[in-house]
Amino acid sequence: MDLDPEGLFRDDSDSESEFYREKDSTKEFVVYLVDASPKMFGAARSDEDEKPETHFHAAINCISQSLMAQIIGRSYDEVAVCFFNTKEKKNLQDLNGVYVFNVMDRECLDRPTARLIKELSYVEDRFMSNIGSRYGIVSGSRENSLYNALWVAQALLRKGSAKSVSKRILLFTNEDDPFGSITGATKTDMIRMTLQRAKDTQDLGISIELLPLSWPDEEFNVSIFYAELLGLEGDDISQFLPSAGEILEDMTDQLRKRMFKKRKVKTIRFSIANDICIEVNTYALIRPTSPGQIMWLDSVTNLPLKTERSFICADTGALVQEPHTYFHPYKNEIIKFSMDELSKIKNISDGQLHLLGFKPLDCLKDYHNLRPSTFIFPTDEEIVGSTRIFIALHRSMLRFQRFALAFYGSLYHPQLVALVAQDEITSSSGQVEPPGMHMIYLPYSDDIRHVEELHMAVDANAPRATDDQIKKASALSRRIDLKDFSVCQFANPALQRHYGILQALALGEDEMPEIKDETLPDEEGLSR
């Protein structure tokens, strides 16, 4: 096989998008655990002209919205939907009060499908007749539906290694005291068993997160039981309490933030000195979004097709079974290369981050930032003490107003990078920006194009703006400057329409969802 000289050092994994997308190794398994007790079906909010909205409806609605977004952005994640405090039971452990919701041709924990989303959106209409609702923890009975639900969720998340897969349980409930109906030693024993079950689940690398639903006149009191289950103490409890008046409106946004939190792209070594090396995780913060890749489907079964490539000998017409040998003609000779030799030629560096020194922050210019930066944060998984060394370096850089100059030895695209320390930013609602460092990829010298003067001669006969024109143009530029602008404020209308059409086709909807183009000018505002 002839060797392409220009492609010799081309990155087989597309080096330009190395930090653009999260890898499959960071995929996530999630179990949505929804309380289905009669209390969840009580009217949480009612308008005069509309049907009263229940907490159960709010939970199902935000899960459906989350799955729609998830099937587009991270379709390889796997999810399961589980109800507890139900009359009917459906789970592999045959435990009472727990119903694992699923559709045909799908495992209990599997990738979200259009059929799952469609069936889930209508589950409330026939929930009482098909599944039923009841209180699973009542006086005079040793039955513990919350314990059973955690057990079933843990069993669903059994597959996959905790090192390569993030596992989570999202619990929806409006009952802050699930054991309030029982007293005495029975209550103490059931609370102890439930907390131990939660601890065993967390010890397996499964995180448990609570999305509480509050009543308009009564706030969810997490300190009664769930604070101990989640491991909250002190200020964490007060910061966790949701706003009772805004919980229904914010539920979908809260779930989206938890589902689409930043997940690491890869882990790299950071060599600070000769004998000092720490480990950091890298995160892709802002990246361009594009439509998903085209997937070829079978016209009969609608299943994905697998593409295979074979080489045929030009002389005999037989399939070539031997490993390919690459060659390059040089001075009338054929120079052969093996795959191992090509890999060694491409492998320019060891893939680590090497600290070279420090420079003042004013030496770093805006035009040095050619492409989106990568956020790095320490980890102690492999090298214990990495966080402590990183914090010391981070604090010193902030105190002396310096950025670190480093060499990032990417396997196929080595270059100099600037590490800019970012301090933690908090507000009354919690953390806004985490502490860490931004890795800015510095340009090569030929990447910078210097401004060329069009009119070099003083007496050149060329149109020039008057001082009054320059003054008015400057004033106009200042007036149209957007304050506190962020790219996150505007959705891509083309992508929104693309996914809106896919959603309508997949869910069998007659009408396409209405897409609001936020990039269009405000005609009403301009007229004023």
Side-chain angles (χ1 to χ4, degrees):
M1 182 177 293
D2 195 3
L3 191 64
D4 179 11
E6 296 182 358
L8 180 62
F9 292 97
R10 185 180 297 128
D11 186 355
D12 298 332
S13 60
D14 190 6
S15 64
E16 288 299 320
S17 61
E18 180 182 2
F19 291 109
Y20 271 37
R21 300 178 183 87
E22 295 163 355
K23 306 296 187 281
D24 288 352
S25 60
T26 61
K27 72 178 183 179
E28 192 167 50
F29 293 165
V30 180
V31 173
Y32 295 97
L33 210 55
V34 183
D35 186 359
S37 65
K39 188 176 180 181
M40 286 284 289
F41 291 88
R45 182 184 61 183
S46 60
D47 297 329
E48 296 180 358
D49 301 330
E50 297 181 4
K51 180 182 177 181
E53 185 174 358
T54 65
H55 282 153
F56 186 83
H57 172 79
I60 295 299
N61 181 63
C62 74
I63 292 175
S64 300
Q65 295 294 328
S66 175
L67 291 179
M68 288 182 190
Q70 186 177 351
I71 202 173
I72 294 172
R74 297 187 56 84
S75 59
Y76 49 80
D77 285 351
E78 300 185 11
V79 300
V81 180
C82 182
F83 302 107
F84 66 102
N85 287 329
T86 60
K87 290 182 179 179
E88 300 295 329
K89 61 179 179 179
K90 183 183 176 183
N91 56 83
L92 293 178
Q93 291 72 26
D94 199 33
L95 298 174
N96 293 328
V98 182
Y99 191 96
V100 179
F101 181 81
N102 201 11
V103 294
M104 293 179 60
D105 301 326
R106 182 182 179 274
E107 296 182 7
C108 293
L109 182 69
D110 207 342
R111 296 184 180 186
T113 62
R115 185 172 184 178
L116 174 69
I117 297 173
K118 192 172 183 178
E119 293 289 334
L120 182 63
S121 61
Y122 295 117
V123 71
E124 186 180 7
D125 299 336
R126 50 184 181 272
F127 190 88
M128 290 301 179
S129 58
N130 294 348
I131 302 176
S133 171
R134 70 182 180 92
Y135 290 105
I137 303 175
V138 295
S139 179
S141 172
R142 297 284 300 181
E143 191 173 314
N144 188 343
S145 58
L146 181 57
Y147 176 92
N148 293 344
L150 292 174
W151 189 352
V152 171
Q154 176 185 324
L156 289 171
L157 295 170
R158 186 174 298 163
K159 72 174 185 178
S161 172
K163 293 183 178 180
S164 59
V165 178
S166 175
K167 303 180 181 182
R168 290 197 288 167
I169 298 174
L170 293 179
L171 177 61
F172 295 81
T173 183
N174 61 357
E175 178 58 76
D176 53 11
D177 189 10
F179 302 97
S181 60
I182 56 178
T183 57
T186 303
K187 178 178 181 178
T188 304
D189 187 46
M190 293 178 70
I191 291 177
R192 179 188 59 80
M193 291 176 58
T194 305
L195 293 177
Q196 185 60 45
R197 168 57 61 186
K199 184 178 182 302
D200 294 342
T201 302
Q202 293 165 339
D203 289 342
L204 294 175
I206 302 173
S207 65
I208 302 176
E209 299 184 25
L210 174 69
L211 281 97
L213 296 148
S214 298
W215 298 95
D217 56 347
E218 183 182 354
E219 193 175 67
F220 191 98
N221 191 352
V222 70
S223 61
I224 295 178
F225 170 74
Y226 283 103
E228 187 173 359
L229 185 142
L230 300 174
L232 302 177
E233 296 179 353
D235 295 338
D236 294 337
I237 297 178
S238 59
Q239 294 176 1
F240 185 86
L241 295 178
S243 173
E246 302 175 355
I247 187 65
L248 289 178
E249 291 82 356
D250 294 345
M251 176 60 72
T252 303
D253 293 336
Q254 286 186 30
L255 182 59
R256 186 180 293 111
K257 288 178 182 179
R258 299 193 186 198
M259 288 305 302
F260 291 91
K261 65 181 183 180
K262 297 299 177 184
R263 286 175 268 188
K264 69 178 182 180
V265 177
K266 62 187 298 186
T267 301
I268 59 176
R269 296 287 179 93
F270 185 11
S271 179
I272 297 178
N274 293 333
D275 299 327
I276 301 177
C277 187
I278 64 176
E279 203 168 42
V280 294
N281 289 332
T282 59
Y283 300 84
L285 300 184
I286 296 179
R287 294 295 183 266
T289 303
S290 58
Q293 296 180 349
I294 295 176
M295 180 180 294
W296 297 98
L297 304 177
D298 187 271
S299 59
V300 178
T301 63
N302 207 36
L303 295 176
L305 294 176
K306 181 180 179 181
T307 304
E308 294 183 355
R309 184 176 64 172
S310 300
F311 290 91
I312 301 176
C313 179
D315 297 330
T316 63
L319 290 177
V320 178
Q321 304 292 343
E322 294 79 11
H324 303 150
T325 301
Y326 294 84
F327 71 90
H328 182 68
Y330 179 74
K331 291 185 178 180
N332 298 325
E333 293 187 23
I334 300 298
I335 310 299
K336 295 182 179 181
F337 296 90
S338 65
M339 289 302 297
D340 292 338
E341 290 173 333
L342 280 177
S343 298
K344 291 179 180 178
I345 294 175
K346 285 186 174 183
N347 194 354
I348 300 174
S349 60
D350 55 5
Q352 292 188 11
L353 187 63
H354 297 270
L355 179 64
L356 301 179
F358 302 92
K359 300 192 75 173
L361 280 175
D362 55 10
C363 293
L364 192 63
K365 307 301 181 183
D366 292 340
Y367 57 82
H368 289 159
N369 190 14
L370 296 183
R371 63 188 181 100
S373 63
T374 299
F375 191 76
I376 63 175
F377 197 81
T379 174
D380 288 332
E381 291 183 6
E382 297 293 337
I383 302 179
V384 180
S386 296
T387 302
R388 185 172 297 180
I389 297 176
F390 186 90
I391 291 175
L393 179 64
H394 179 267
R395 290 177 177 175
S396 298
M397 291 168 61
L398 289 174
R399 184 168 65 253
F400 294 107
Q401 295 293 302
R402 296 287 191 272
F403 73 88
L405 185 65
F407 172 77
Y408 176 58
S410 174
L411 295 180
Y412 307 104
H413 193 221
Q415 65 183 119
L416 293 177
V417 295
L419 302 180
V420 181
Q422 172 181 279
D423 203 0
E424 182 180 22
I425 302 175
T426 59
S427 65
S428 58
S429 58
Q431 187 185 73
V432 178
E433 295 289 347
M437 294 185 189
H438 289 277
M439 185 163 67
I440 299 175
Y441 302 93
L442 299 177
Y444 291 96
S445 60
D446 55 357
D447 288 332
I448 301 176
R449 301 291 185 265
H450 297 284
V451 179
E452 297 179 359
E453 291 289 344
L454 298 178
H455 312 293
M456 300 298 294
V458 179
D459 56 348
N461 187 15
R464 296 179 181 275
T466 63
D467 293 340
D468 184 55
Q469 290 174 330
I470 295 175
K471 183 178 180 180
K472 290 181 178 179
S474 301
L476 177 63
S477 300
R478 287 193 296 269
R479 290 293 299 273
I480 64 175
D481 184 27
L482 298 177
K483 304 299 182 183
D484 300 325
F485 170 76
S486 172
V487 293
C488 302
Q489 296 172 351
F490 302 95
N492 187 330
L495 281 178
Q496 296 297 314
R497 179 175 174 79
H498 170 77
Y499 289 124
I501 295 174
L502 291 182
Q503 175 183 325
L505 292 173
L507 300 181
E509 299 173 347
D510 296 332
E511 298 180 0
M512 194 186 76
E514 182 180 355
I515 305 300
K516 182 181 179 181
D517 191 348
E518 298 173 335
T519 62
L520 294 176
D522 183 7
E523 298 292 347
E524 183 180 352
L526 291 175
S527 63
R528 292 198 304 268

